[in-house]
C-alpha cells in the first residue's frame, strides 16, 4: 500500500488546479491512500476545496503566520517533518512546486524525480528529457520516500465529490530566519491564468514591440483566452517573463493554442506539446511551428489578426455590425 502526501498549491484562499492533477498522479500509483497537506496562515477555504476532491483520506492543515506566503525555504522543513510515514511526497511541477520540492528532497536526503508524466509502478515513472525530445523511464529506490514533481499537463484533474476529513496538525519545526517575505510584484490581469486557461493566444519576436503586442490582447479578449509569449518576446521586453511558454517558461495544455509570429523552436514546443489544437500564423511557410500545427495560416499577422478579431466579435454579436 502506498501512502502519499500531496502538497497543495494555493493562493488568495483558492486551491490551484495543479493540486487535483497531482492527486490524479497519486491515484495512478495503484493501491494508495492520499493525504493533502495545506500550509497556510488560514487554511479554511483551501482545505475545504481539497477535502471535496475524490479519493482523499485526510486533508492536513498547518496554520501559522509564517505560511502566509509560499516561501520554499519556510515550507520545505514543514513538509519534510511530515514525510516520515509516507511512501511518496508529490507536488506540482509548477513554479511553486519547482521551488519547493527540491528543498524537501534535499532535507530528506533523496533525489527528486522531476516532471512525472506517467506512472508505470509505485517506483517507476516516465519523464521528459532534452526539452521533451525524449522520454526516459526512471526508477526510484524502493524503501526510501519518493519525492516527485508532477507534470500537470500530463494529468487530468481528479474528480470532485469527495468529503475527506480535515485535521489540523501542530508541527514543532524550527523555521529558517534567513529568508523573509518582503513584497510581491505581480502583473494583475483580468484575463484567464496562463497555466490553467482553456485557450491561449501567444506572440513571438514578430510582434516587434510592447505596443504591437496589444494587437494580440484584442484577439485574446475576443476568444476569452490567456496571453502567452515566446522567450524571444519576453527577452525583448514586450511582455513580462511570467507569460513565457516553453522549456524555461510555463508548460501548458490548453484546448486551443494560437501562435502568432512564433517560429516553433524546440524549447517553445516543449511548452505546448499537450495543447489539444494548435493554430499558427506565420509569414514563413517553412517555419517549424507548421509541423505541429493543426491549422496554419501563412501570412502577415499584422493583417490577419485584426481581421480575425473582427470576425470573432461579429460572430459573437451578429447585430452589432
Ligand atoms: C536553454 C534554452 C531555453 C529556452 N527556453 C525557451 C522557452 O521556454 N520558450 C521559448 O519560447 N523559447 C525558449 N528558448 C529560445 C528558443 O530557442 C527560440 O529562440 C525562441 O523560442 C524564438 O522565439 P520566436 O519564435 O518568438 O522568435 P523567432 O525564432 O525569431 O521567430 C519569429 C517568427 O515570426 C515570423 N514572423 C516575422 N514577422 C512576421 C509577421 N509580420 N507575421 C507573421 N509571422 C512573422 C518569422 O517568420 C519567424 O518564424 C530557449 C533557448 C534555450 C537555448
Amino acid at each position: 500500500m502506498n501512502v502519499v502526501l500531496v502538497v497543495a498549491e494555493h493562493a488568495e484562499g483558492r486551491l490551484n488546479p495543479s493540486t487535483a492533477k497531482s492527486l490524479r498522479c497519486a491515484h495512478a500509483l495503484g493501491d494508495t491512500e492520499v493525504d493533502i497537506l495545506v500550509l497556510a496562515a488560514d487554511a479554511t477555504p483551501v482545505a475545504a476545496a481539497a477535502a471535496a476532491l475524490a479519493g482523499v483520506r485526510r486533508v492536513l492543515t498547518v496554520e501559522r503566520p509564517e505560511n502566509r506566503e509560499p516561501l520554499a525555504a519556510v515550507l520545505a522543513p514543514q513538509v519534510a517533518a511530515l514525510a516520515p510515514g509516507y511512501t511518496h511526497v508529490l507536488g506540482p511541477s509548477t513554479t511553486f512546486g519547482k521551488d519547493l520540492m527540491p528543498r524537501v528532497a534535499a532535507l530528506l536526503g533523496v533525489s527528486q524525480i522531476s516532471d512525472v508524466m506517467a506512472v508505470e509502478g509505485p517506483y517507476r515513472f516516465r519523464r521528459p528529457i532534452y526539452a521533451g525530445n525524449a522520454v526516459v523511464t526512471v526508477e526510484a529506490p524502493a524503501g526510501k520516500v519518493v519525492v516527485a514533481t508532477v507534470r500537470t499537463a500530463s494529468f487530468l484533474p481528479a474528480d470532485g465529490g469527495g468529503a475527506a476529513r480535515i485535521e489540523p496538525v501542530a508541527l514543532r519545526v524550527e523555521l529558517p530566519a534567513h529568508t523573509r517575505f518582503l513584497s510581491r510584484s505581480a502583473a494583475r490581469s483580468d484575463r484567464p491564468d496562463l497555466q490553467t486557461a482553456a485557450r491561449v493566444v501567444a506572440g513571438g519576436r514578430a510582434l516587434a514591440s510592447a505596443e504591437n503586442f496589444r494587437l494580440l490582447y484584442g484577439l485574446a479578449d475576443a476568444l476569452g483566452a490567456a496571453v502567452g509569449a515566446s522567450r524571444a518576446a519576453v527577452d525583448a521586453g514586450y511582455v513580462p517573463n511570467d507569460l513565457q511558454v516553453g522549456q524555461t517558461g510555463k508548460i501548458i495544455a490548453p484546448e486551443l493554442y494560437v501562435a502568432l509570429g512564433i517560429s516553433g523552436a524546440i524549447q517553445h514546443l516543449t511548452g505546448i506539446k499537450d495543447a489539444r489544437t494548435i493554430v499558427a500564423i506565420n509569414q514563413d511557410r517553412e517555419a517549424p511551428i507548421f509541423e505541429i500545427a493543426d491549422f496554419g495560416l501563412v501570412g502577415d499577422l499584422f493583417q490577419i489578426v485584426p481581421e480575425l478579431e473582427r470576425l470573432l466579435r461579429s460572430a459573437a454579436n451578429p447585430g452589432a455590425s
Side-chain angles (χ1 to χ4, degrees):
M1 158 80 78
N2 307 297
V3 192
V4 183
L5 185 66
V6 171
V7 184
E9 176 175 6
H10 59 92
E12 295 173 353
R14 283 197 298 275
L15 186 67
N16 189 293
S18 64
T19 308
K21 293 179 176 186
S22 302
L23 177 60
R24 174 80 70 179
C25 175
H27 290 151
L29 292 165
D31 188 14
T32 301
E33 300 262 39
V34 187
D35 292 345
I36 294 183
L37 172 62
V38 180
L39 300 156
D42 170 11
T44 314
V46 177
L53 293 172
V56 179
R57 180 178 64 171
R58 299 177 300 171
V59 175
L60 307 179
T61 60
V62 180
E63 293 185 316
R64 48 195 295 178
E66 296 93 330
N67 290 347
R68 189 172 305 284
E69 299 293 337
L71 292 182
V74 171
L75 303 187
Q78 301 175 68
V79 179
L82 280 166
Y86 290 95
T87 54
H88 299 68
V89 181
L90 303 185
S93 190
T94 56
T95 307
F96 167 79
K98 286 195 261 189
D99 194 21
L100 172 64
M101 300 308 284
R103 284 176 183 265
V104 174
L107 289 169
L108 295 171
V110 296
S111 303
Q112 175 181 284
I113 307 253
S114 304
D115 279 338
V116 170
M117 60 187 294
V119 175
E120 293 198 342
Y123 296 93
R124 266 174 86 91
F125 306 94
R126 279 151 61 84
R127 61 172 301 256
I129 55 167
Y130 301 131
N133 279 323
V135 174
V136 68
T137 302
V138 290
E139 192 153 334
K144 282 189 174 176
V145 62
V146 177
V147 175
T149 57
V150 176
R151 188 174 185 273
T152 52
S154 301
F155 292 89
L156 291 171
D159 298 329
R165 59 181 196 275
I166 299 174
E167 289 182 14
V169 178
L171 272 184
R172 286 181 184 215
V173 180
E174 202 175 317
L175 299 183
H178 54 67
T179 304
R180 285 172 296 120
F181 176 79
L182 291 182
S183 67
R184 175 193 301 277
S185 70
R188 289 259 155 214
S189 166
D190 294 334
R191 294 196 177 82
D193 171 49
L194 174 59
Q195 189 98 57
T196 52
R199 296 168 183 179
V200 173
V201 174
R205 197 195 309 269
L207 270 299
S209 71
E211 200 183 348
N212 286 349
F213 229 86
R214 288 202 203 121
L215 186 68
L216 185 149
Y217 293 134
L219 180 62
D221 289 346
L223 279 168
V227 170
S230 71
R231 177 158 158 186
V234 168
D235 287 351
Y238 308 158
V239 287
N241 64 2
D242 59 342
L243 296 193
Q244 185 177 317
V245 172
Q247 183 189 344
T248 44
K250 296 206 163 78
I251 309 281
I252 57 175
E255 294 289 320
L256 173 68
Y257 187 76
V258 183
L260 305 174
I262 292 178
S263 59
I266 188 67
Q267 296 90 353
H268 187 81
L269 301 186
T270 300
I272 56 168
K273 267 192 164 43
D274 295 294
R276 184 73 57 89
T277 302
I278 296 175
V279 177
I281 300 176
N282 197 304
Q283 65 185 13
D284 173 11
R285 63 178 62 249
E286 302 296 330
I289 190 84
F290 288 130
E291 285 168 26
I292 62 147
D294 300 281
F295 300 95
L297 269 170
V298 178
D300 180 2
L301 71 90
F302 292 102
Q303 287 177 2
I304 296 171
V305 171
E307 183 62 11
L308 213 52
E309 184 186 337
R310 195 188 60 73
L311 287 172
L312 282 166
R313 290 197 189 279
S314 61
N317 194 2
S321 57

